[in-house]
Amino acid sequence: MAGHVGKLAAAVALAATAVLPPAASAHGAPWVASWAASPVVGSDIPWSDCPAGRGLRDQTVRNVVFLSAGGGSVRVRVTNAFGSTPLHVGRATVAVRAAGDAAVPGTLRTLTFQGRPGVTVPVGRELFSDPVRLDVEALSTLLVSAYLPEATGPLTNHPFTAQGNYLAAGDRTGALSGGFADTPCWMVVDGVDVAPARRVAGTVVAFGDSITDTASTTGDANHRWPDFLARRLDAVPGRTLSVVNAGLGGNRLIADRDEPYWGVAGVTRVRRDVLAQTGVTAVIVLEAVNDIGYSAPVADLIAGHRDVIAQARAAGVKVYGGTVLPFKGSFIWTGEREATWRALNDWIRTSGEFDGVVDFAAATAAPGDPATLDPAYDSGDHLHPNDAGTRAMADAVDLAALLRR
């Protein structure tokens, strides 16, 4: 596997071409990323009715997205990162959410792309809309709608959201509400930037697997640990940061999974999912438990973390290492894998190779048993934390260290 990590350099370089550099400012103010979702190739998922595998035609997807930072202007990133044909978006809108699929009256804005109401996104690319004036609050929710008039083929998406989204026949981008059915995935859109208040000085990216993506948190409640971190940072007086979630359920750090909906390896996707986020100044890395579940050697996991550190440092981004949560008693646990977990976490805590450490493992461990998830934080599978567990994870982040210039 160590050889596999080394061979990923070319793939990382290729991934860098997938994102167009964002403009530096909007209406004179710098942008920050306020919401993001890591994309994967469209495919059928046996237990999900997300339609991304077969794609859409003459349909409108309405994505529900939770903002970590507010501002006076927004722009939306549409994605064809994993498409096999150019993606034609006929019309797109953004609005503040009232409830369900309903927009707050007076907030619906038509998005344009270089002044045009539609856009064709080339294969492997992501494009930002033009800025639109829209006052949005931190910790508020937007509806981002996109109409796909032509057959898309398999559609770039984010499959596991802990958030209900919406799908309708025809062009419903201009509708305040109604005509939509539920869909579980985010499609077409994978980022929202805001032109924030001056005190929001950049973006911190939470990079990881399902424990960052959704864990086993309550649906439609925004209780992922990056959401709780966003609430803490929003409450800070003075200088602060926005937060975006680059978690991806089932993802591995050092290797691709066979099933495409788990995404490409973390060392490959860090370029797009972390370093291309607007205003990124720091990343918190929490990924490797799925690799441990595949019995990856600790030396390979350390090499994978060093790869991420090197990429981030080259981009001027600070890197905080997150210790891997306890998982004794879960379906992936063995004595040998626990030994790998202990060795990796010891290296994260003591190597000095990160700009700082977030000890998620210590924050979520059962009293007197560091290898087991605290029952108060256990969703029931002894691997994924519940709402209380994700809150404890967010509380483990040292905000003073994160905000230090």
Side-chain angles (χ1 to χ4, degrees):
M1 262 181 213
H4 179 87
V5 173
K7 292 175 183 177
L8 286 171
V12 169
L14 178 62
T17 67
V19 184
L20 292 183
S25 64
H27 308 301
W31 290 105
V32 297
S34 186
W35 171 84
S38 297
V40 301
V41 65
S43 65
D44 292 330
I45 303 173
W47 64 91
S48 173
D49 61 359
C50 175
R54 63 181 180 272
L56 303 178
R57 180 179 182 180
D58 188 28
Q59 290 170 280
T60 299
V61 58
R62 178 160 283 186
N63 298 287
V64 180
V65 306
F66 179 67
L67 299 184
S68 62
S73 295
V74 302
R75 66 181 182 185
V76 170
R77 188 174 61 223
V78 295
T79 181
N80 194 24
F82 292 98
S84 58
T85 60
L87 175 67
H88 179 53
V89 178
R91 191 165 182 259
T93 60
V94 62
V96 178
R97 186 194 196 195
D101 65 13
V104 173
T107 68
L108 192 73
R109 303 285 188 272
T110 296
L111 297 172
T112 60
F113 301 84
Q114 296 185 333
R116 299 181 179 89
V119 68
T120 297
V121 187
V123 172
R125 304 301 291 270
E126 302 188 324
L127 300 172
F128 277 99
S129 72
D130 301 327
V132 293
R133 294 278 192 184
L134 180 64
D135 289 325
V136 295
E137 299 292 330
L139 312 179
S140 65
T141 303
L142 296 185
L143 301 174
V144 184
S145 304
Y147 172 58
L148 292 310
E150 303 161 4
T152 64
L155 195 59
T156 301
N157 72 105
H158 184 94
F160 313 115
T161 63
Q163 174 63 64
N165 301 283
Y166 301 98
L167 193 63
D171 182 0
R172 299 288 295 168
T173 55
L176 287 180
S177 66
F180 288 92
D182 294 338
T183 195
C185 47
W186 289 310
M187 293 177 282
V188 184
V189 171
D190 72 347
V192 175
D193 288 0
V194 301
R198 190 175 298 275
R199 77 186 194 94
V200 182
T203 301
V204 56
V205 179
F207 183 66
D209 47 43
S210 60
I211 292 172
T212 297
D213 189 8
T214 61
S216 292
T217 58
T218 301
D220 301 331
N222 302 309
H223 284 174
R224 314 161 191 89
W225 79 257
D227 299 332
F228 285 120
L229 179 60
R231 293 181 178 96
R232 290 188 65 204
L233 283 166
D234 182 63
V236 169
R239 181 181 180 273
T240 192
L241 298 170
S242 65
V243 182
V244 296
N245 189 331
L248 192 53
N251 197 233
R252 291 186 62 182
L253 176 66
I254 63 171
D256 296 350
R257 298 278 299 269
D258 290 338
E259 303 88 349
Y261 43 80
W262 303 129
V264 298
V267 290
T268 305
R269 70 184 182 89
V270 68
R271 178 77 178 189
R272 178 190 57 248
D273 294 353
V274 176
L275 303 182
Q277 300 297 341
T278 306
V280 58
T281 60
V283 56
I284 301 172
V285 180
L286 175 59
E287 188 159 27
V289 72
N290 291 314
D291 299 271
I292 293 173
Y294 275 82
S295 299
V298 68
D300 290 359
L301 300 181
I302 291 171
H305 279 85
R306 284 174 169 156
D307 190 325
V308 173
I309 292 169
Q311 291 185 61
R313 290 269 169 75
V317 172
K318 289 187 175 182
V319 191
Y320 296 85
T323 53
V324 178
L325 273 64
F327 59 90
K328 188 174 182 179
S330 74
F331 75 98
I332 66 168
W333 181 87
T334 66
E336 182 180 2
R337 290 169 180 171
E338 181 183 324
T340 300
W341 168 80
R342 289 180 184 274
L344 177 63
N345 278 353
D346 285 346
W347 175 80
I348 291 170
R349 291 183 181 113
T350 64
S351 69
E353 297 191 34
F354 296 94
D355 293 290
V357 172
V358 183
D359 203 341
F360 293 122
T364 57
D369 185 2
T372 299
L373 199 60
D374 190 324
Y377 298 151
D378 189 348
S379 66
D381 65 2
H382 313 305
L383 175 66
H384 294 93
N386 58 19
D387 293 4
T390 53
R391 185 189 292 270
M393 292 174 66
D395 288 345
V397 178
D398 182 346
L399 297 191
L402 193 62
L403 293 169
R404 191 174 299 128
R405 292 183 184 273

